[in-house]
Structures are given as structure tokens and as C-alpha cells.
Amino acid sequence: MIAFLWAEDADGIIGRNGRLPWHLPDDLHYFRELTEGQIVVMGRKTFEGLKRPLPDRTNIVLTHQVDYEAPDDVIVYHDAPAVIAYAETKPDQNLIIIGGANLFASFTGIPDVLYRTKLAGHFEGDTHMLPIDYSQYALTKSTAVTNPDPQLTHTFEVWTRK
Ligand SMILES: NC(=O)c1ccc[n+]([C@@H]2O[C@H](COP(=O)([O-])OP(=O)(O)OC[C@H]3O[C@@H](n4cnc5c(N)ncnc54)[C@H](OP(=O)(O)O)[C@@H]3O)[C@@H](O)[C@H]2O)c1
């Protein structure tokens, strides 16, 4: 199974200055539950926003830079088909595409499942989620979570390809 996994605000903002625009521990926990033991794919900019590779997951980073230096436990690829080919050799693991926007664009139309966390608030940011054709998907699960800060009230949505 191939999935997109991301969190966006009411306006579709996903990033600011190379980081997330919010701190939402509940979503980080959800992210960990969905990705542990799986293959995660991220763009080079998102990877560089992390302190270290994500533990207990196969980390793949995409970059066009052929001489890109990454830690030994990180797999570096230079195009999306190479990622898909790798995942096909690991049928027991999900391939979870975790952003950012540039990376999602490289996998447009591919995911079977969309895990979208929708925040109620409006945040400042410089990176938007790309447009997604939701008519291709059915909302199969939606879990609303109220937060004391109304900006951080959010819904965990699961969209499955029709
Ligand atoms: N809210 C969320 O769920 C979420 C999730 C992830 C990220 N983010 C945020 O999004 C922002 C980063 O997003 P972004 O769009 O600026 O950057 P990004 O997608 O993380 O990284 C872009 C870089 O990835 C590489 N890349 C992407 N597609 C490629 C392909 N098909 N082949 C080879 N290389 C490819 C290129 O690296 P080179 O330039 O090295 O060639 C490109 O410049 C950050 O603020 C981050 O915190 C938010």
C-alpha cells in the first residue's frame, strides 16, 4: 500500500521556514503509529528539518544531488520510480510518503490511501499542500479531536481510493 501522510491547516498550509508551523504532540504520536516499521519517503528539505533519521523506519530521501551525503542508515534516491521499485521489493511494508509539498507533487495520482490531519486554525506559512483530486477517494474514517487551543483542534481523516 502507498499512502500520503500529512497535516495541513484550514488554508492548506503545511510548512514554515523548513519546519511545521505548529506543535501538535497528538499528531506526532499518530504519525509514529502509522509509520513505525514502514518505509517513509521524504524530500531533501523535509529531511534536513529533522534532527536525525526517523527511528524504527526505513528512511528514504529524494534529492537531485548525485553526491548528496546522508547518514548510513538513510537510503538516497534521485527519482520517484526508484522509490516505487524499492518498495516493490518489500511487499510486507507500506510506502508512506511524508512530504513536503515538492515531494508529494512527484507522486501525484499514486497513493492508495491519504492520511490527512486537518487543523481548524489558520497559521502563517510558506508551503502549501498540493491540490488533490478527492473525487478519486472516499472518506473512510474521520476522528475529531478537540484541543484547548481552538487553533489546534483537528480531525484525523483517512481517504481510500475508490
Ligand atoms: N505538515 C506536514 O505534514 C509536512 C510534512 C512534510 C513537510 N512539511 C513541511 O514542508 C516544508 C518542506 O517542503 P518543500 O516542498 O519545501 O520541500 P520537500 O518536498 O521536503 O523537499 C524538496 C526537495 O526534495 C527533492 N525532491 C523532491 N522531489 C524529487 C524528485 N522527484 N526527484 C529528486 N529529488 C526530489 C529535491 O531536493 P534537491 O533540491 O536536493 O534536489 C527538492 O528540492 C517544510 O516546512 C516541512 O516542515 C510539512
Side-chain angles (χ1 to χ4, degrees), residues 5-9 12-22 27 31 41-49 61-66 68 77-81 97-107 115 117 119 126-129:
L5 170 57
W6 79 101
E8 65 178 40
D9 83 348
I13 291 278
I14 66 165
R16 182 178 60 210
N17 295 334
R19 309 297 298 269
L20 297 177
W22 45 78
D27 189 51
F31 177 93
V41 188
M42 67 201 100
R44 190 260 309 161
K45 292 181 184 172
T46 293
F47 176 64
E48 291 181 356
V61 175
L62 265 180
T63 173
H64 297 101
Q65 302 168 49
V66 288
Y68 188 72
Y77 283 128
H78 305 292
D79 58 51
I97 296 156
I98 62 168
N102 198 289
L103 183 85
F104 287 129
S106 300
F107 290 89
Y115 295 108
T117 300
L119 279 77
D126 51 32
T127 311
H128 277 82
M129 187 57 186

Side-chain angles (χ1 to χ4, degrees), residues 36-58:
E36 265 181 357
Q38 313 299 333
I39 304 163
V40 292
V41 188
M42 67 201 100
R44 190 260 309 161
K45 292 181 184 172
T46 293
F47 176 64
E48 291 181 356
L50 303 176
K51 294 193 188 83
R52 58 190 172 117
L54 296 167
D56 305 319
R57 282 148 278 199
T58 302

